[in-house]
Amino acid sequence: MTACHHSLLELLPEKEERLRCRVCYLTISTKELHDGYCPECFDRSGEKQYQFDKVESSASGIARYRCDECGAIVTTS
């Protein structure tokens, strides 16, 4: 156990919404999905697949912080 008092905390960003392709099961963030179709399916077959399922995030309003001094992750409840 370290003697760190966690006095320098950095707020970690919340996990962004992710989608899973129904054809190839690629999981991708909505920010990375620029044209609306699965880039993996397009690279493989040349077809544009637009069918995705939302991937449930495990974060439920819990803030996460990282200590800049020791690297520990601190969560709120």
Side-chain angles (χ1 to χ4, degrees):
M1 204 80 192
T2 63
C4 184
H5 297 289
H6 307 307
S7 58
L8 293 173
L9 295 177
E10 176 184 352
L11 178 63
L12 297 174
E14 291 185 31
K15 294 182 179 181
E16 55 193 34
E17 183 178 279
R18 300 191 64 79
L19 301 172
R20 181 175 292 126
C21 177
R22 290 184 180 176
V23 177
C24 73
Y25 303 108
L26 172 74
T27 303
I28 190 169
S29 73
T30 54
K31 291 180 182 178
E32 295 173 323
L33 196 62
H34 301 291
D35 297 324
Y37 58 86
C38 176
E40 184 71 22
C41 288
F42 185 72
D43 287 343
R44 285 184 183 174
S45 65
E47 294 181 24
K48 296 180 179 180
Q49 299 291 336
Y50 294 94
Q51 298 178 350
F52 294 91
D53 292 321
K54 274 188 169 181
V55 177
E56 296 295 325
S57 65
S58 60
S60 58
I62 298 174
R64 296 179 341 129
Y65 299 89
R66 181 179 56 236
C67 177
D68 285 341
E69 294 175 349
C70 70
I73 303 294
V74 180
T75 59
T76 62
S77 53

